[in-house]
Amino acid sequence: QVQLVQSGSELKKPGASVKVSCKASGYTFTSYAMNWVRQAPGQGLEWMGWINTNTGNPTYAQGFTGRFVFSLDTSVSTAYLQISSLKAEDTAVYYCARVYKDIVATINGNYYYYYMDVWGKGTTVTVSS
Amino acid sequence: DIQMTQSPSSLSASVGDRVTITCRASQSISSYLNWYQQKPGKAPKLLIYAASSLQSGVPSRFSGSGSGTDFTLTISSLQPEDFATYYCQQSYSTLLTFGQGTRLEIK
């Protein structure tokens, strides 16, 4: 079945780095982009950005540039999120989510709808001294 | 960025109630609106995409409507397993955004 399996919880000290993995199975990895979503304790969902699994080209949301890097290893169908210079406020659950592209054809042309149809279970990153 | 505002932020209801959650976009997003359900300690789950299309496997008591800037998620008859937090999310822009969430609690 289609699933995303994320790496386990991490406890890091401020200033350290962490790399979270998201391994896809049950589908062709390069056919769907991958989103990353952050959820701080007791807070809502925050979209971090996405990576094109065909080209490896990442797009980052405002507030997630500089210390955050999305990458891929297509040979093992895995997406990665690396966070450097960790701060206490990076403490959160990080989710990967597959981006499904739905194409609706009309007489006026094609419309493309994107949504996150498969999610990993999340990786908890705790930053504490 | 497109801002998404949900109302109410929290809601108390009883099993069997009809519940409506509203999501408003800061600009027109046509029907590029998705709804997710999240239970404590779990990953979000897609309920509705393209404003009104029910994701496969989602019970028919869930429905979505709206276009432009105003959208609603309706649960026709609340079940015990529906008590959760609900999020809207726009995909009109390549820079996606979520609403702040609506927490649905048992009355």
Side-chain angles (χ1 to χ4, degrees), chain A residues 35 37 46-50 59 61 99 114-116, chain B residues 1-2 4 32 34 36 89-98:
Chain A
N35 274 341
V37 175
E46 189 175 17
W47 181 71
M48 301 175 65
W50 67 284
T59 298
V99 180
Y114 297 89
Y115 44 89
M116 293 175 251
Chain B
D1 290 8
I2 298 173
M4 307 300 295
Y32 294 94
N34 306 315
Y36 301 86
Q89 173 250 317
Q90 64 81 18
S91 60
Y92 178 84
S93 165
T94 54
L95 301 178
L96 310 183
T97 43
F98 287 96

Side-chain angles (χ1 to χ4, degrees), chain A residues 7-26:
Chain A
S7 49
S9 297
E10 301 269 8
L11 173 60
K12 295 290 184 180
K13 294 190 183 303
S17 294
V18 69
K19 193 169 187 177
V20 175
S21 66
C22 171
K23 182 172 176 59
S25 62

Side-chain angles (χ1 to χ4, degrees), chain A residues 29-46:
Chain A
F29 181 67
T30 52
S31 294
Y32 301 84
M34 193 73 75
N35 274 341
W36 288 94
V37 175
R38 181 171 79 177
Q39 188 167 39
Q43 302 300 307
L45 302 173
E46 189 175 17

